Amino acid sequence: MPAAPVEAASASSAVPDSAGAIDALLDAVTEIKAQQKQLEQQLEPLLEALNAAMAAGQLDPSFSHNDWAFSHSLGRLSYEFPAPVQEIEQQLKAAKETAIQQGSATEKRGKPFWTIRPPKAQDQPF
């Protein structure tokens, strides 16, 4: 896949100025992303072991170790609503879509970001 043209080359001195430099930049990014995925896979069983140790009373929910702060979070709370509430939610979604189509809804956009995925492979699900 060809690289997208760099539109704001003057915006940063770190912007590569040749196709070879862009290829090197993309190679560096994809190598780091691959390493990050490997590290995440190695980290997951360790975090599960931490959870087990905390559940067994061997760890507190917040502590420090070698100047690293550890803090356990219970996870995002969510709810499963009964059918009448779900019906109202569907009505609201339809009203929102109508407002978008009619142009009465105001657009907002978050901070730009990159999504970088490895090639599809059985050992690297994303």
Side-chain angles (χ1 to χ4, degrees):
M1 174 178 185
V6 178
E7 296 179 26
S10 62
S12 169
S13 61
V15 175
D17 59 357
S18 72
I22 290 174
D23 284 344
L25 170 67
L26 294 174
D27 288 345
V29 168
T30 55
E31 176 62 28
I32 290 171
K33 289 298 286 183
Q35 291 173 4
Q36 180 182 26
K37 190 65 177 170
Q38 282 183 323
L39 291 172
E40 287 171 359
Q41 290 172 346
Q42 292 173 17
L43 184 61
E44 187 60 34
L46 301 175
L47 294 176
E48 289 173 12
L50 276 178
N51 286 338
M54 190 184 75
Q58 297 170 323
L59 292 174
D60 291 328
S62 293
F63 62 93
S64 67
H65 176 76
N66 293 339
D67 294 329
W68 286 72
F70 288 71
S71 180
H72 180 264
S73 297
L74 294 176
R76 181 174 287 182
L77 181 62
S78 64
Y79 296 93
E80 182 70 30
F81 294 102
V85 175
Q86 291 178 12
E87 290 173 20
I88 294 169
E89 182 179 28
Q90 290 304 316
Q91 292 170 0
L92 176 61
K93 287 180 181 180
K96 286 180 175 183
E97 186 59 36
T98 300
I100 291 169
Q101 291 173 358
Q102 293 175 346
S104 61
T106 304
E107 280 188 3
K108 295 189 297 184
R109 188 169 309 274
K111 180 181 176 185
F113 61 92
W114 289 96
T115 299
I116 302 168
R117 295 191 172 139
K120 300 231 183 234
Q122 290 183 347
D123 61 334
Q124 290 184 343
F126 207 99

